[in-house]
Amino acid sequence: MRSFIITLITLLTLVSAVARAQQNPPQRVLAKSTGVMVPCPQVEYDKKTKKETVTWHGTNNAWIKDFVWAKNVPVEENFDIMFPEVSSENPFWSNTMIPMSWMLTEENDETVLHCYFRMPADEVTNLWLTSEETCIVDSETGVQYRIRRTEPDTYRKHFGVRAPKGTVLDFKIFFPPLPETTNEVTIFGIPNWYLVGNKVTVRNRFYGKARSLAYDQKPQFHQPRLLQEHLSKDSPYNLQDWNTWKVYTDAHLIKPAADNTMAIWLTPEATYLAMAAEQNWTNEYFGFESNTLLVGPTGHQYRLREVEGLPIGETFFMNGNAGDYIAFLMVFDPLPVDLQTVSYIAPEGEPFNAWGANWSGTVLPNLSIDLLRANQPLFDYHPRIVVK
């Protein structure tokens, strides 16, 4: 009897697991973004219903008269984990700005664009998702993948939705499957999510395949050396006087790469993050702040330990040739080797006086660690070649 009960429980467990799998089909993430931060429209209070209401921003589709109330919209319970940089726990995001976040996936042999919407009130009207203009275009081949349907059905309709304030809804747009060879696409026709001709890198090549969970070897970069203690004034370092800044030379040279191109190496002792930069002047200034962070999907922070061969918390000059492509190597606390994404956050620095001064911060959210590891060869040392 006991063995029969155990067998029955096992069967029920398997049936339950199958049912859950059918409700939540396997999903490969191709790309995702926190999206544009949109100011929240004015919230009105309806005395009759005792609920807060919002009329969403117009989308210039006044000729379309169809209006529906969206029913049975899926709720995304894990939004704060997926997009920790715009967590609802932050009162600024939840009360002032609304993230128009999205995620492109592959599910059941279809491409699915999830458009997430955090309810700013109990009732929102005048929303717009999509119409016949909506498509995904392969940037290399030009092949157009046209919209098939939406869930819930809001195709070519203005619509309203009701859900408790703060709920994150998941509006889905379905397209034909993208080939495995697709690397970059352009998304058209989703104005409320600001996807109107936006290029998106598709990460097919790295998802759904066996991930390398082996650690990397520590990268070997050329070490910059101190050329001058001060540019031209023998005085203590002063951010507001660039003549007191240090001058370094012999940066690690690489082949041409766009600014902020990155690669990552995971080791048990530390995480190494390389960042590319163009050298536009013989002496060009750079700087790294001590509160620069890597942030995991759950919000765990990995602090910056050092920048190899260079100071932290001081602006400095790098001496080289205009036209050089150089790379800096930052050292962070070690990331788990099985982590899939990480966000890079360099907070805004202290203002300073210099030509072209820039102290703005940088936020690069949800970087694929597989992609960053695949970028490692881009940072091989490439000696300067000069033809006269």
Side-chain angles (χ1 to χ4, degrees):
M1 183 67 177
R2 182 173 179 271
S3 62
F4 170 77
I5 292 173
I6 292 173
T7 303
L8 181 59
I9 291 172
T10 303
L11 287 172
L12 290 173
T13 302
L14 288 172
V15 170
S16 176
V18 170
R20 286 197 303 272
Q22 290 172 344
Q23 292 172 357
N24 301 291
Q27 181 186 88
R28 289 203 303 170
V29 178
L30 305 181
K32 67 176 181 176
S33 172
T34 53
V36 176
M37 301 301 299
V38 178
C40 179
Q42 184 174 351
V43 178
E44 305 287 347
Y45 181 73
D46 189 321
K47 292 181 179 177
K48 233 182 233 186
T49 62
K50 298 183 179 178
K51 291 185 176 180
E52 293 181 337
T53 64
V54 157
T55 301
W56 197 244
H57 307 282
T59 53
N60 298 320
N61 292 329
W63 63 91
I64 295 175
K65 303 302 181 183
D66 290 343
F67 177 88
V68 297
W69 284 102
K71 306 290 186 182
N72 302 317
V73 186
V75 173
E76 181 50 70
E77 302 284 0
N78 295 320
F79 182 83
D80 286 355
I81 296 174
M82 295 161 54
F83 301 100
E85 57 276 15
V86 286
S87 167
S88 59
E89 294 179 4
N90 185 323
F92 176 75
W93 299 137
S94 58
N95 297 328
T96 307
M97 307 291 286
I98 298 173
M100 305 305 291
S101 304
W102 54 265
M103 182 167 68
L104 190 68
T105 67
E106 187 178 83
E107 305 170 35
N108 287 340
D109 201 31
E110 288 187 295
T111 304
V112 184
L113 182 66
H114 298 257
C115 296
Y116 300 109
F117 184 74
R118 180 184 288 150
M119 292 289 289
D122 303 304
E123 182 176 289
V124 180
T125 59
N126 199 42
L127 279 167
W128 174 266
L129 182 63
T130 181
S131 67
E132 64 275 3
E133 296 173 328
T134 301
C135 68
I136 296 175
V137 178
D138 188 310
S139 299
E140 183 178 357
T141 65
V143 174
Q144 300 179 8
Y145 298 87
R146 309 302 303 191
I147 180 174
R148 286 179 167 176
R149 66 187 187 284
T150 67
E151 289 183 8
D153 181 13
T154 57
Y155 178 77
R156 212 175 188 273
K157 299 181 179 75
H158 295 285
F159 64 96
V161 65
R162 298 184 178 100
K165 180 179 178 180
T167 303
V168 177
L169 303 178
D170 179 6
F171 296 100
K172 301 175 186 179
I173 307 174
F174 293 81
F175 302 86
L178 301 177
E180 286 291 333
T181 53
T182 304
N183 292 317
E184 184 184 72
V185 298
T186 306
I187 302 177
F188 294 90
I190 312 167
N192 274 178
W193 275 261
Y194 297 84
L195 294 170
V196 285
N198 302 64
K199 288 191 181 301
V200 174
T201 298
V202 176
R203 297 160 183 173
N204 273 24
R205 294 175 297 166
F206 302 96
Y207 284 87
K209 300 181 180 180
R211 302 185 71 234
S212 172
L213 298 183
Y215 282 109
D216 301 302
Q217 296 293 319
K218 178 184 180 298
Q220 300 300 315
F221 272 41
H222 278 234
Q223 294 290 307
R225 62 179 176 86
L226 183 65
L227 182 66
Q228 297 170 228
E229 188 65 37
H230 309 283
L231 179 66
S232 61
K233 185 187 290 186
D234 188 13
S235 299
Y237 169 79
N238 179 358
L239 175 61
Q240 303 305 329
D241 185 353
W242 46 266
N243 290 295
T244 67
W245 298 353
K246 291 181 175 68
V247 182
Y248 290 82
T249 192
D250 291 344
H252 182 81
L253 300 174
I254 60 174
K255 289 182 179 180
D259 276 352
N260 293 335
T261 298
M262 290 180 167
I264 203 167
W265 290 258
L266 306 180
T267 77
E269 297 77 28
T271 299
Y272 297 88
L273 184 73
M275 179 179 284
E278 295 177 351
Q279 179 109 23
N280 296 300
W281 308 95
T282 302
N283 284 322
E284 184 162 359
Y285 65 78
F286 299 92
F288 297 89
E289 298 298 325
S290 60
N291 52 355
T292 299
L293 295 169
L294 295 178
V295 181
T298 62
H300 188 86
Q301 299 179 358
Y302 303 86
R303 65 183 178 85
L304 177 65
R305 294 177 175 178
E306 63 171 306
V307 181
E308 285 201 346
L310 296 168
I312 294 179
E314 283 189 20
T315 303
F316 60 88
F317 287 104
M318 181 59 71
N319 174 269
N321 280 8
D324 284 346
Y325 287 83
I326 64 178
F328 302 106
L329 189 62
M330 293 172 276
V331 185
F332 291 86
D333 293 336
L335 295 177
V337 74
D338 60 347
L339 203 65
Q340 293 192 0
T341 62
V342 72
S343 297
Y344 172 84
I345 301 176
E348 183 177 285
E350 180 185 347
F352 59 93
N353 298 313
W355 184 85
N358 180 9
W359 55 85
S360 60
T362 300
V363 178
L364 303 174
N366 302 311
L367 301 170
S368 164
I369 290 178
D370 284 339
L371 277 175
L372 293 178
R373 295 179 85 177
N375 282 348
Q376 292 174 8
L378 301 179
F379 289 85
D380 291 343
Y381 186 76
H382 183 69
R384 182 188 294 119
I385 300 173
V386 178
V387 179
K388 296 185 179 179

